[in-house]
Amino acid sequence: MRIVPFLVSGLLTTGLVIVLNMQLPAGGTKTPRLGYFLSPQLGFWQNAEASNAGFDEEIPLPNMHGKVDVYMDERLVPHIFAESDLDAYYVQGYLHAKFRLWQMEFQTHLAAGRLSEILGPERVSTDRFFRRLGMVYGAEQTMALVDQNPAMKATIDAYADGVNAYIKSLKPEQIPFEYKLLDYKPEAWTPFKTYLFLMYMSYDLSARGVTTDLQMTNAKNYFGYDDFEKLFPNVQDSLDPIIPHGTSYEEPGIKTHAPKNVDSAYLHTMVNSTAMAPIVPDRDNGSNNWAVAGTKTKSGRPILANDPHLGLNIPSLWYEVQINTPTHNTYGASFPGTPAVVIGFNDSIAWGVTNAGRDVLDFYDIQFKDSSMNEYMLNGVWTKAEHRKEVIKVKGVGDSVENIAMTVFGPVMYDGANKNISTKGKYLAVHWTAHTAGSGLQTFYDLNRAKNYDDYLNAINKWSCPGQNFAFAAKNGDIAMKQQGAFVARWKRQGDFVMPGTDSNYMWQGIIPVDENPMMKNPIRGFVSSANQMSTDSTYPYYLGAANSFALYRGITINRNLTAMNNITPEDMEKLQMNNYNSFAEMARPVFLKYLKEAGLNAEEKKYVDELKSWNLRGDINEQGATVFKCMWDSLEKEVFADEYSKSKLPMPWPDRPTLLEQLLRDSSYKFVDNISTEKKETIGDDVLAACKKACKNLKYLENLGSLEWGKYKDTRVNHLLRIPALSRLHLPIGGGENMINATKEAHGPSWRIIVHLTDEIEAYCVYPGGQSGNPGSKYFDMFVDNWAAGKYYRIVFLQKGAAEKNEHIKWHMIFS
């Protein structure tokens, strides 16, 4: 009878082996293969890194031309010293892969519309969105262009070779944690993935139009064009533009003309859409940058500061690095996935970027002959369409095939196979400057080597998408700011709504000449700055786009401070980057209190109003007034606009922050003050009182929760890219927020802070909310987060050749040969 227990044991063992090598359902998702994931030899345990781990290593690699020394400092920042540029980029690729491989591949899978290969059917809609947006198509165009540039092609190829050299060296137990969790393995890196990553950054920084153009069309149709103009005006009374008021501009090289039928066929036509992007770029994706001349600094030398505002994720978008070769010595933040330094400095200059916010993406309503989408109407003639077949591989399921019609405008994003209630029967093509081949990576390649203003200008003039404001400072004393990109020469309101695709008069009439893009050099005021506001006032001869695409108040605060400051030091710049003053609240609070009928408040409500009155207008961690103001102003906006919006079944954009404030400063009888759902005609006083009472109920609730202080109310976090709480940094004690220079919101804010003092021996400081390692099992995974939250900076170790080995901050030496 011994055979029976043996058989039972054998069956149980076999069953256990099978089960442990399966992904099991778990709360709407699936577990990893537990046998592999929990294996002591191969599983996630192997990703734990000792706190005293060392990084000294000698690494022989193929395809290198000489020796490369990498000195790792105490923060795990590599200082690459190479005898050739190609070897430097080869090693940069290797190091990016060593410390950030999963992040690099995951982000490019997202851009390529390949998440379904990893995560299964639930991500098909995301993949379909990016395929139809033309992400792969745009990357193909750029790769074809760059392949014609031998130097840039060699750079990107060398970088890819370095990434692959690391991938080939990986042992099974060394595979990054997230691969084990999601049960897949790294694949070979290709140069094409670099272009895909750059396409994703173009989307993240310029593609608000993917959602806003469609929603703006809904709002224009629902409210009518005249009322739409009241909700989304193109004038900002408080604007302090990047290029100061009073600047004169030359006659435009392209004189735009609106079509004759623009009123009937565009402004007053009906093209509804409920289309929504599965991943919507944050409306506050932007940044601050400024440069002050030596006339305003204590040392007499320029200082440059930059802090890009993006999603707060870990692993971070940025990877800190120094690259030293015979052609350049550059330090700064790089993108894992691309070679070179993106924001930083070299021995001669410093540069920083902010988002221009200009509209570079439009939709066109296409009329096809039939559902085959083989021909579409243009200027009264049936025009042949081309087709792209995009195959989406889906984990555990068969392939999903997208048949995408290609028009003169671009890919047809919405059609009979990709539709919703309102786009049913409509075909919408997307026209995006990112679909045109660009040489953006050449910009950073050249900036890394730039020596002066002329080099800077030559480098950034190659930039096309997304539009950026490039700040510049040099050791010789020059400072400058230029807004650069492939900007469409538009007539007023062109592209703010879906445009007719049957009439070529609605096509783009040209790209603004590079020398007509807004810029200034060495202004008398002694500084340049940008904070995602409109670049110019209305005297600029081209239409900049809808005003609700631009921030307003951070720029006001920055310029006010820089105007008043003198004898500036790097420490002053650190304090300015962490400034929590709210200029919007400064203007809005008096309006709110002016119309508030305090006699209608009870004692508890008056308590919160008193808190509002005594507030210092700062979004510091412990300020309760900041929470009171936000709740009360948000409540007022709902009181004014919600009655009209509630009657629409289509998604529409909410009026931008300045709209209500500036309308009330002009006229208290603003049309939308009246509640159309009641017989009474409400005044602004009625709305403010009602808003205050509703806000006070919420404030009482927050107070009972212990969340009335601004830091607790805002509750900032840095999310792991997979949104896994245990791998994220939650409940961070940091102030700042919307309309403040320190633009830290719940999960969005300064993703990299850098200050560069251009003295003979450059003095620079930086910090970002993450760490150099992408391994959750390493102490370097989130090493910088606490200092970032506290507003503390690291002094940058900028080394010259020959000085690295003796520097006290250098801890490890890697030798590549």
Side-chain angles (χ1 to χ4, degrees):
M1 298 299 290
R2 293 178 182 176
I3 191 70
V4 174
F6 175 78
L7 289 174
V8 171
S9 175
L11 289 171
L12 288 173
T13 301
T14 302
L16 186 61
V17 170
I18 292 171
V19 168
L20 289 178
N21 278 280
M22 294 174 59
Q23 288 187 285
L24 304 175
T29 183
K30 290 185 177 181
T31 67
R33 288 184 298 125
L34 295 177
Y36 168 60
F37 186 69
L38 299 175
S39 165
Q41 292 78 28
L42 301 175
F44 79 96
W45 315 97
Q46 291 292 325
N47 297 110
E49 184 179 279
S51 61
N52 63 345
F55 297 92
D56 290 318
E57 197 170 1
E58 291 190 26
I59 307 171
L61 293 173
N63 302 324
M64 287 187 63
H65 302 90
K67 177 187 173 186
V68 176
D69 291 294
V70 176
Y71 299 94
M72 306 288 288
D73 68 27
E74 58 207 356
R75 296 191 295 115
L76 209 62
V77 176
H79 304 259
I80 302 171
F81 289 82
E83 297 166 4
S84 74
D85 288 347
L86 294 184
D87 279 354
Y89 293 131
Y90 184 103
V91 170
Q92 186 184 17
Y94 185 97
L95 293 171
H96 277 171
K98 179 177 176 65
F99 294 107
R100 300 291 189 86
L101 178 61
W102 174 79
Q103 168 196 2
M104 293 164 60
E105 192 168 77
F106 186 78
Q107 289 175 158
T108 53
H109 270 58
L110 172 62
R114 295 182 57 196
L115 286 186
S116 300
E117 294 179 29
I118 305 168
L119 302 175
E122 62 270 18
R123 292 298 179 183
V124 170
S125 62
T126 302
D127 288 347
R128 180 181 293 122
F129 172 83
F130 283 117
R131 298 290 185 102
R132 287 180 167 270
L133 179 60
M135 300 283 279
V136 175
Y137 170 72
E140 290 170 351
Q141 309 312 302
T142 293
M143 185 170 73
L145 176 68
V146 175
D147 280 353
Q148 299 172 31
N149 181 330
M152 286 309 302
K153 183 180 187 305
T155 294
I156 295 169
D157 286 348
Y159 178 85
D161 287 344
V163 175
N164 286 323
Y166 177 74
I167 293 174
K168 289 175 183 176
S169 75
L170 268 178
K171 298 175 182 178
E173 66 271 17
Q174 294 174 324
I175 291 174
F177 167 82
E178 290 87 351
Y179 286 105
K180 298 175 182 179
L181 181 67
L182 299 174
D183 194 31
Y184 74 113
K185 294 181 179 179
E187 65 183 25
W189 186 266
T190 65
F192 187 63
K193 290 191 175 187
T194 290
Y195 304 117
L196 283 170
F197 176 79
L198 295 173
M199 281 297 296
Y200 183 76
M201 291 310 299
S202 292
Y203 171 75
D204 201 37
L205 292 172
S206 69
R208 279 186 63 194
V210 174
T211 295
T212 55
D213 283 8
L214 303 178
Q215 292 189 354
M216 291 273 278
T217 302
N218 292 339
K220 182 259 296 181
N221 295 339
Y222 176 72
F223 289 106
Y225 184 66
D226 291 339
D227 280 351
F228 175 90
E229 286 274 272
K230 294 182 176 70
L231 291 166
F232 303 96
N234 265 321
V235 176
Q236 294 176 330
D237 295 341
S238 303
L239 175 67
D240 189 352
I242 296 171
I243 309 302
H245 290 292
T247 301
S248 59
Y249 301 98
E250 300 291 334
E251 285 293 310
I254 300 174
K255 296 186 182 295
T256 59
H257 303 282
K260 293 181 180 178
N261 65 347
V262 67
D263 285 329
S264 59
Y266 180 56
L267 297 179
H268 297 280
T269 193
M270 300 288 284
V271 183
N272 288 333
S273 172
T274 61
M276 287 291 290
I279 298 177
V280 181
D282 193 291
R283 59 170 293 157
D284 289 328
N285 277 351
S287 313
N288 305 315
N289 66 5
W290 59 80
V292 292
T295 56
K296 292 183 73 67
T297 66
K298 186 175 182 179
S299 67
R301 307 297 286 272
I303 302 176
L304 180 139
N306 188 198
D307 56 302
H309 305 158
L310 297 165
L312 300 178
N313 294 316
I314 193 167
S316 169
L317 178 70
W318 306 104
Y319 180 83
E320 209 173 326
V321 66
Q322 178 179 358
I323 302 174
N324 183 298
T325 78
T327 67
H328 67 296
N329 186 23
T330 307
Y331 191 109
S334 65
F335 286 143
T338 70
V341 167
V342 176
I343 295 173
F345 62 93
N346 61 32
D347 286 323
S348 303
I349 74 156
W351 72 94
V353 298
T354 67
N355 197 23
R358 302 271 288 274
D359 186 5
V360 293
L361 184 151
D362 294 332
F363 279 98
Y364 287 85
D365 188 10
I366 306 299
Q367 180 185 333
F368 280 104
K369 192 173 185 178
D370 53 45
S371 60
S372 70
M373 299 186 292
N374 288 328
E375 294 179 280
Y376 60 97
M377 180 63 67
L378 183 63
N379 295 333
V381 177
W382 290 112
T383 304
K384 185 176 180 179
E386 297 179 356
H387 288 263
R388 282 178 64 91
K389 183 176 288 187
E390 297 267 2
V391 179
I392 300 173
K393 297 184 180 299
V394 186
K395 185 177 182 179
V397 184
D399 295 347
S400 175
V401 180
E402 297 296 313
N403 178 30
I404 305 172
M406 301 294 292
T407 69
V408 68
F409 305 101
V412 174
M413 194 166 179
Y414 296 100
D415 57 22
N418 184 37
K419 60 188 177 183
N420 54 49
I421 295 172
S422 291
T423 59
K424 185 177 180 180
K426 292 192 177 294
Y427 300 86
L428 299 180
V430 60
H431 195 187
W432 185 17
T433 58
H435 289 156
T436 302
S439 54
L441 198 56
Q442 178 86 51
T443 291
F444 298 123
Y445 182 91
D446 289 350
L447 281 172
N448 284 208
R449 294 157 175 77
K451 301 298 182 186
N452 50 45
Y453 171 79
D454 290 338
D455 290 347
Y456 148 82
L457 205 59
N458 178 63
I460 68 170
N461 282 348
K462 298 180 176 74
W463 185 260
S464 57
C465 184
Q468 298 288 292
N469 303 303
F470 287 88
F472 164 83
K475 279 187 175 180
N476 69 3
D478 286 338
I479 62 171
M481 177 78 72
K482 182 174 184 183
Q483 186 169 93
Q484 178 55 33
F487 297 121
V488 181
R490 299 180 180 275
W491 36 267
K492 183 181 177 183
R493 289 295 187 188
Q494 183 182 11
D496 290 353
F497 319 117
V498 175
M499 292 189 285
T502 55
D503 184 350
S504 63
N505 287 312
Y506 287 87
M507 295 176 71
W508 295 348
Q509 297 173 12
I511 299 297
I512 297 172
V514 167
D515 58 2
E516 294 182 31
N517 286 333
M519 74 158 298
M520 61 178 166
K521 176 187 178 186
N522 295 333
I524 295 175
R525 67 182 185 176
F527 69 88
V528 296
S529 75
S530 72
N532 315 119
Q533 73 269 49
M534 283 185 164
S535 55
T536 71
D537 59 22
S538 59
T539 61
Y540 184 64
Y542 297 102
Y543 178 59
L544 295 177
N548 65 314
S549 297
F550 301 94
L552 180 59
Y553 299 101
R554 279 183 289 112
I556 292 172
T557 311
I558 290 169
N559 288 350
R560 181 190 297 170
N561 276 274
L562 291 178
T563 298
M565 294 170 72
N566 288 294
N567 293 313
I568 297 170
T569 65
E571 184 180 8
D572 295 328
M573 297 293 88
E574 291 177 7
K575 291 177 181 177
L576 188 56
Q577 282 188 333
M578 293 299 297
N579 188 300
N580 294 331
Y581 188 80
N582 191 331
S583 291
F584 170 71
E586 174 193 312
M587 301 176 195
R589 179 173 63 178
V591 173
F592 190 93
L593 294 174
K594 174 183 177 181
Y595 294 110
L596 177 61
K597 304 172 183 177
E598 293 192 50
L601 302 175
N602 61 36
E604 188 167 64
E605 292 162 348
K606 287 182 179 178
K607 178 187 75 172
Y608 293 118
V609 171
D610 288 342
E611 185 75 46
L612 176 65
K613 290 178 178 178
S614 62
W615 176 41
N616 62 8
L617 297 174
R618 296 181 58 83
D620 297 333
I621 298 174
N622 298 321
E623 287 297 330
Q624 296 184 359
T627 306
V628 172
F629 171 76
K630 177 170 173 53
C631 289
M632 288 193 174
W633 192 266
D634 286 353
S635 182
L636 178 59
E637 287 188 344
K638 290 178 183 176
E639 200 66 30
V640 172
F641 298 123
D643 50 316
E644 284 86 5
Y645 274 74
S646 65
K647 297 184 180 300
S648 171
K649 296 180 180 179
L650 296 175
M652 299 187 299
W654 198 256
D656 207 30
R657 277 296 192 207
T659 299
L660 179 59
L661 172 59
E662 297 203 339
Q663 290 286 0
L664 292 179
L665 287 170
R666 295 188 205 115
D667 183 7
S668 64
S669 60
Y670 181 43
K671 175 177 180 176
F672 294 95
V673 164
D674 179 46
N675 188 336
I676 61 174
S677 301
T678 68
E679 294 183 2
K680 177 185 175 183
K681 185 173 179 62
E682 283 80 11
T683 65
I684 185 58
D686 297 327
D687 283 3
V688 171
L689 181 61
C692 182
K693 285 182 169 292
K694 292 175 182 177
C696 287
K697 292 180 180 179
N698 186 34
L699 291 167
K700 178 64 175 176
Y701 172 76
L702 292 171
E703 188 172 17
N704 290 337
L705 285 179
S707 299
L708 195 58
E709 293 178 350
W710 181 241
K712 293 179 180 178
Y713 172 78
K714 182 163 63 78
D715 198 20
T716 295
R717 64 181 186 273
V718 179
N719 287 317
H720 186 271
L721 283 173
L722 291 177
R723 300 298 188 264
I724 299 173
L727 302 181
S728 305
R729 289 296 306 273
L730 309 177
H731 315 302
L732 294 172
I734 184 171
E738 185 183 9
N739 301 314
M740 304 175 209
I741 298 176
N742 176 19
T744 307
K745 302 194 300 181
E746 182 181 2
H748 188 276
S751 60
W752 161 254
R753 299 191 192 109
I754 187 168
I755 294 163
V756 185
H757 189 194
L758 288 141
T759 45
D760 290 340
E761 183 176 336
I762 287 180
E763 175 188 6
Y765 303 85
C766 71
V767 70
Y768 67 88
Q772 289 288 92
S773 176
N775 176 13
S778 169
K779 73 176 185 179
Y780 299 99
F781 179 66
D782 60 354
M783 185 181 193
F784 310 148
V785 172
D786 291 335
N787 277 351
W788 171 84
K792 296 179 181 178
Y793 292 67
Y794 297 100
R795 173 72 183 262
I796 286 175
V797 180
F798 186 48
L799 300 173
Q800 300 297 321
K801 188 173 183 179
E805 288 190 67
K806 298 178 181 179
N807 189 279
E808 62 180 334
H809 298 286
I810 297 302
K811 301 300 179 186
W812 303 284
H813 185 192
M814 302 175 73
I815 302 172
F816 294 82
S817 61

